[in-house]
């Protein structure tokens, strides 16, 4: 993982660097059904990569070569422990699922973030519809019945549990209605974060909060 200054320097040094520098998030960055994204950047040196095509990256990683070789195993010293087959999945629109949660915290990702082993990903054809189902109170109740629990009221949202969640069938019209509601929820969630809580702006924020709660209740009822 590198910071933005290092990213910009590597790209300026050799333009090829941009091909294997990816936006990155951790499980803890998925909270309350959205991505609390900070500036995390990953050098994604997948298995089978020809490092000679990326001289700036090679030169940068060389300073850590001794340490990298200690954990390389059967891989080359610069390679990450990741399958090349996974790249296309991460770069598609998807739902990010944190591994340890206290509430339903499935979040949409339309920007192609890579993530660590404290998350899993879901690639449905209809993201907003599936997101509505997963984040509903009914499916949260369901996952609590089957998922492993941990101290402090936490649950494990591992694929072995999440894959058991039943996604109901719906007509195209029903799906579009729910998609629209989810769009409102996502929009209001962002708006509430951007509005300062003072004076008249506080009243606008309060109204938005009421609307957000209203739309969430409608989605819950629709899923049930």
């Amino acid at each position: 993982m590198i910071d933005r200054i290092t990213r910009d320097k590597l790209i300026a040094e050799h333009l090829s660097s941009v091909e294997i520098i990816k936006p990155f998030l951790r499980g803890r960055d998925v909270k309350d059904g959205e991505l609390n994204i900070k500036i995390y950047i990953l050098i994604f040196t997948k298995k089978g990569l020809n490092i000679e095509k990326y001289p700036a990256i090679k030169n940068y990683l060389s300073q850590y070569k001794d340490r990298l070789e200690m954990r390389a195993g059967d891989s080359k010293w610069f390679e990450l422990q990741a399958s090349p087959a996974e790249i296309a999945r991460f770069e598609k629109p998807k739902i990010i699922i944190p591994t340890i949660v206290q509430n339903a915290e499935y979040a949409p990702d339309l920007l192609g973030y890579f993530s660590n082993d404290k998350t899993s990903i879901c690639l449905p054809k209809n993201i907003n519809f599936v997101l509505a189902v997963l984040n509903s109170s009914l499916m949260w109740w369901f996952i609590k019945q089957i998922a492993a629990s941990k101290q402090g009221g936490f649950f494990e949202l591992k694929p072995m549990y999440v894959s058991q969640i039943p996604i109901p069938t719906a007509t195209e019209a029903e799906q579009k209605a729910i998609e629209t509601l989810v769009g409102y929820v996502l929009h209001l969630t962002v708006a509430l974060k951007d509005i300062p809580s003072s004076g008249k702006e506080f009243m606008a924020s309060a109204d938005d909060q009421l609307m957000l709660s209203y739309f969430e209740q409608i989605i819950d009822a629709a899923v049930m």
Side-chain angles (χ1 to χ4, degrees), residues 121-194:
I121 62 175
C122 173
L123 289 87
K125 293 180 179 179
N126 187 328
I127 286 183
N128 279 0
F129 175 70
V130 174
L131 198 63
V133 174
L134 294 177
N135 279 322
S136 68
S137 58
L138 177 61
M139 293 310 166
W140 175 239
W141 172 87
F142 177 83
I143 201 70
K144 288 194 294 183
Q145 310 310 305
I146 63 171
S149 59
K150 304 179 79 67
Q151 285 187 331
F154 289 88
F155 291 85
E156 292 186 350
L157 293 189
K158 291 183 176 180
M160 63 185 292
Y161 303 124
V162 177
S163 60
Q164 297 182 52
I165 295 177
I167 304 299
T169 57
T171 66
E172 184 175 345
E174 290 170 335
Q175 288 192 34
K176 286 187 178 299
I178 290 178
E179 287 175 40
T180 300
L181 291 170
V182 172
Y184 291 154
V185 168
L186 295 175
H187 173 76
L188 287 170
T189 300
V190 173
L192 284 167
K193 284 195 168 187
D194 292 340

Side-chain angles (χ1 to χ4, degrees), residues 45-58:
T45 46
K46 65 180 182 179
K47 291 183 179 180
L49 182 81
N50 180 6
I51 196 66
E52 301 304 327
K53 291 176 58 179
Y54 309 98
I57 298 290
K58 180 182 179 182

Side-chain angles (χ1 to χ4, degrees), residues 5-161:
I5 293 175
T6 303
R7 169 195 177 275
D8 293 344
K9 181 180 177 181
L10 290 171
I11 293 173
E13 187 176 333
H14 202 282
L15 191 57
S16 65
S17 300
V18 74
E19 298 176 14
I20 56 173
I21 292 177
K22 308 293 183 180
F24 182 76
L25 58 83
R26 307 159 301 170
R28 71 186 73 174
D29 300 319
V30 184
K31 191 70 176 175
D32 298 327
E34 60 180 319
L35 304 181
N36 298 315
I37 297 172
K38 298 180 182 178
I39 302 175
Y40 297 114
I41 303 165
L42 175 71
I43 296 177
F44 192 77
T45 46
K46 65 180 182 179
K47 291 183 179 180
L49 182 81
N50 180 6
I51 196 66
E52 301 304 327
K53 291 176 58 179
Y54 309 98
I57 298 290
K58 180 182 179 182
N59 182 58
Y60 175 78
L61 293 179
S62 292
Q63 63 185 310
Y64 307 110
K65 185 174 181 179
D66 290 344
R67 290 164 56 188
L68 292 171
E69 284 181 328
M70 291 175 63
R71 69 100 177 99
D74 295 333
S75 302
K76 295 179 181 178
W77 67 270
F78 56 84
E79 291 179 337
L80 283 177
Q81 307 290 327
S83 168
E86 302 304 316
I87 297 176
R89 297 183 184 184
F90 278 106
E91 293 180 336
K92 291 179 179 179
K94 58 187 176 293
I95 296 173
I96 303 284
I97 306 170
T99 300
I100 306 295
V101 299
Q102 280 186 307
N103 301 287
E105 294 181 353
Y106 309 88
D109 169 30
L110 306 180
L111 299 178
Y113 274 78
F114 283 53
S115 56
N116 67 5
D117 61 352
K118 300 303 180 183
T119 66
S120 54
I121 62 175
C122 173
L123 289 87
K125 293 180 179 179
N126 187 328
I127 286 183
N128 279 0
F129 175 70
V130 174
L131 198 63
V133 174
L134 294 177
N135 279 322
S136 68
S137 58
L138 177 61
M139 293 310 166
W140 175 239
W141 172 87
F142 177 83
I143 201 70
K144 288 194 294 183
Q145 310 310 305
I146 63 171
S149 59
K150 304 179 79 67
Q151 285 187 331
F154 289 88
F155 291 85
E156 292 186 350
L157 293 189
K158 291 183 176 180
M160 63 185 292
Y161 303 124

